[in-house]
Amino acid sequence: MTRQIIVADDHPLFREALKAAVGRLEPGTGFVEADSVAALLAAVEAEPDADLLLLDLNMPGAQGFNALAHVRGTRPGLPVAIVSADDDPQTIASALRYGAQGFIPKSTEAGQIGRAVEAVLAGEIYTPPGYHPPRGSGATDEDLEIARRIAELTPQQFRVLGMLCSGLLNKQIAYDLDVSEATVKAHVTAILRKLGVATRTQAVLAAGRLATDRASVKPPPEDSD
Amino acid sequence: MTRQIIVADDHPLFREALKAAVGRLEPGTGFVEADSVAALLAAVEAEPDADLLLLDLNMPGAQGFNALAHVRGTRPGLPVAIVSADDDPQTIASALRYGAQGFIPKSTEAGQIGRAVEAVLAGEIYTPPGYHPPRGSGATDEDLEIARRIAELTPQQFRVLGMLCSGLLNKQIAYDLDVSEATVKAHVTAILRKLGVATRTQAVLAAGRLATDRASVKPPPEDSD
DNA sequence: CGCTGCCTTCGACCAAAGGCGAATTCCCCC
DNA sequence: GGGGGAATTCGCCTTTGGTCGAAGGCAGCG
């Protein structure tokens, strides 16, 4: 039985490097790749028996720790190792508090990445050498509460939440997901309930608290001035 | 003619310290205090001839640089010196790009604060000793574009935007401002136009890009689970 | 097999959001 | 003193958002 690892990163080249670094130690390893949150969700659903998820924090559509929180909620048995270019102690501490089993800075050298992955697969919690938990751990209790609620969302609801956070209208979401607008509204209602808020705007604000970088809304078209 | 300085900080004690540090060098200085964004707007409107605004970044209701951008837009002639506990180079660079004439870390010793204020009043740009502009300057061109648009908002519109960013309904905003809901809607429409977006959620996302800390939406009431 | 949940889907109803035009006030400037 | 422009205010109408109830599909379990 070959072990399965899901590699979620929007950078194709980096995915290759990651696979090479991991596959070198265990040639029989199978990989599933995802370059977006949508693909990540699909991969997680399609591979219920995956052994590990290597997750980049800066993926388009997955503001920060939202994807981590959601995967931890829907697949509690699937270990997640964060792979990120942002390696300051605050970010690492947050990732661990949100349930990641490991944190691998992108600056890590290949051989060390392989060993880190093996460590996480063996059930250890991997942190970069020299890492110390900072004083204020970056994620407040309120943030963890948000994460807990996001973890309760179904995959489809999580997709919709991501689109809400992009500022899309129900109509646009319905078109993208190829369902009726009534269905989208039902999902939105479920999201509002689970997040404990009353409007989509409040839901976006809540989800935004788990973001590391600001979402880019959309390029303002700008015609007049 | 005594010069007027507006001191905007939600911490009363710190306002006192600030006044003491500045007043020591020029006993005749007049002060106007503001402990919230609402009070800040009122003060700026009431004192058109103020000589300087000392502005804290972490004021309730004024997410990050929004207040700075807005004041710079409505009162281009009023110099603004940011006073903040967050003194990393990224933050300082952003403040300067958004049009601040000075940046005074809260850790600055009293005498130095007085000298910094005098320098800004004299037309200089004050930065803490040892400050070097970082490589990536913290604020992207897109962020500056947002700031430029926020600067175009009228005071009332800016107040409404702040409430939108708190996740309030039009009805609640109308109650707080003591106007009809129709009026609030008109303001919201104007805001959407000026920010170049189509919905309130997108407006909140746009304004959120100028935030330094995440807004706390509101404590989720939480009853069921 | 049949039952029980859960997820997804949807249509119909009501509330909130947003657009449009217009009246009022205030301030600046001529 | 008298425009002119901007800001604030508001009512009416359309669109969007959100709730409720319900039906179909799919997995796990007795």
Side-chain angles (χ1 to χ4, degrees):
Chain A
M1 76 146 214
T2 66
R3 63 185 187 186
Q4 284 282 346
I5 298 183
I6 303 174
V7 181
D9 192 309
D10 61 328
H11 214 129
L13 208 64
F14 193 79
R15 284 202 305 273
E16 291 303 319
L18 215 45
K19 283 162 57 182
V22 175
R24 195 167 304 157
L25 297 181
E26 280 275 335
T29 307
F31 293 97
V32 179
E33 303 188 34
D35 62 350
S36 67
V37 177
L40 166 62
L41 290 174
V44 169
E45 290 177 53
E47 307 286 339
D49 298 326
D51 300 289
L52 177 66
L53 167 61
L54 295 178
L55 176 62
D56 179 22
L57 277 185
N58 291 16
M59 286 223 301
Q63 278 66 14
F65 299 103
N66 280 314
L68 170 59
H70 179 251
V71 169
R72 290 301 303 155
T74 53
R75 289 276 190 279
L78 173 64
V80 180
I82 297 299
V83 181
S84 172
D86 178 11
D87 63 344
D88 72 88
Q90 289 282 340
T91 304
I92 300 177
S94 296
L96 297 181
R97 285 202 75 188
Y98 289 130
Q101 274 69 26
F103 192 103
I104 305 174
K106 284 199 174 179
S107 56
T108 305
E109 164 260 337
Q112 182 63 18
I113 288 185
R115 285 190 292 275
V117 169
E118 297 303 328
V120 173
L121 280 169
E124 301 176 28
I125 304 289
Y126 177 84
T127 55
Y131 164 71
H132 288 289
R135 182 68 51 161
S137 74
T140 69
D141 288 344
E142 280 184 7
D143 291 340
L144 286 178
E145 176 62 18
I146 304 279
R148 194 184 63 72
R149 288 158 183 260
I150 287 185
E152 293 176 353
L153 297 179
T154 70
Q156 192 77 324
Q157 288 165 7
F158 185 71
R159 286 190 195 94
V160 172
L161 176 59
M163 297 180 181
L164 290 185
C165 292
S166 300
L168 297 179
L169 304 181
N170 287 340
K171 192 177 296 184
Q172 302 175 282
I173 298 175
Y175 180 82
D176 287 351
L177 295 182
D178 196 33
V179 294
S180 92
E181 191 175 343
T183 300
V184 174
K185 291 181 180 179
H187 286 309
V188 171
T189 297
I191 293 170
L192 300 183
R193 269 175 165 24
K194 290 186 179 175
L195 295 191
V197 298
T199 71
R200 63 164 64 242
T201 300
Q202 293 173 354
V204 169
L205 287 170
R209 297 189 54 154
L210 302 193
T212 49
D213 55 351
R214 243 59 77 170
S216 66
V217 192
K218 82 175 184 183
E222 178 62 54
D223 38 22
S224 65
D225 65 315
Chain B
M1 75 139 214
T2 66
R3 64 184 185 186
Q4 285 282 345
I5 298 183
I6 302 174
V7 181
D9 192 309
D10 61 329
H11 214 128
L13 207 64
F14 193 80
R15 285 202 304 273
E16 291 304 319
L18 214 44
K19 284 162 57 182
V22 174
R24 196 167 304 158
L25 297 181
E26 280 274 336
T29 306
F31 293 98
V32 179
E33 304 187 34
D35 61 350
S36 66
V37 177
L40 165 62
L41 291 173
V44 170
E45 290 177 52
E47 306 287 339
D49 298 326
D51 300 288
L52 176 66
L53 166 61
L54 296 177
L55 176 61
D56 179 23
L57 277 185
N58 292 16
M59 286 223 302
Q63 277 66 13
F65 300 103
N66 281 314
L68 170 59
H70 179 250
V71 170
R72 289 302 302 155
T74 54
R75 289 277 189 281
L78 173 63
V80 180
I82 298 299
V83 181
S84 172
D86 178 12
D87 64 344
D88 72 90
Q90 289 283 338
T91 305
I92 301 177
S94 296
L96 297 180
R97 286 202 74 188
Y98 289 130
Q101 274 71 25
F103 192 103
I104 305 174
K106 284 199 172 179
S107 57
T108 305
E109 165 260 337
Q112 182 63 18
I113 288 184
R115 285 189 292 277
V117 169
E118 297 303 328
V120 173
L121 280 169
E124 302 176 27
I125 303 289
Y126 177 84
T127 55
Y131 163 72
H132 289 288
R135 182 68 51 161
S137 75
T140 69
D141 288 344
E142 281 184 6
D143 291 339
L144 286 178
E145 175 62 18
I146 303 281
R148 194 183 63 72
R149 289 159 182 259
I150 286 185
E152 293 176 353
L153 297 179
T154 70
Q156 192 77 324
Q157 288 165 6
F158 186 71
R159 287 190 193 94
V160 172
L161 176 59
M163 297 180 181
L164 290 185
C165 291
S166 299
L168 273 61
L169 304 181
N170 287 341
K171 192 178 297 185
Q172 303 175 283
I173 298 174
Y175 180 82
D176 287 352
L177 295 182
D178 195 33
V179 295
S180 92
E181 191 175 343
T183 301
V184 175
K185 290 180 181 179
H187 286 310
V188 172
T189 298
I191 293 171
L192 300 183
R193 269 175 163 27
K194 288 186 180 176
L195 295 191
V197 298
T199 71
R200 76 207 279 107
T201 299
Q202 292 173 353
V204 169
L205 288 170
R209 297 189 55 155
L210 302 193
T212 50
D213 54 351
R214 243 58 77 171
S216 66
V217 192
K218 82 174 183 183
E222 178 64 55
D223 38 22
S224 63
D225 64 314

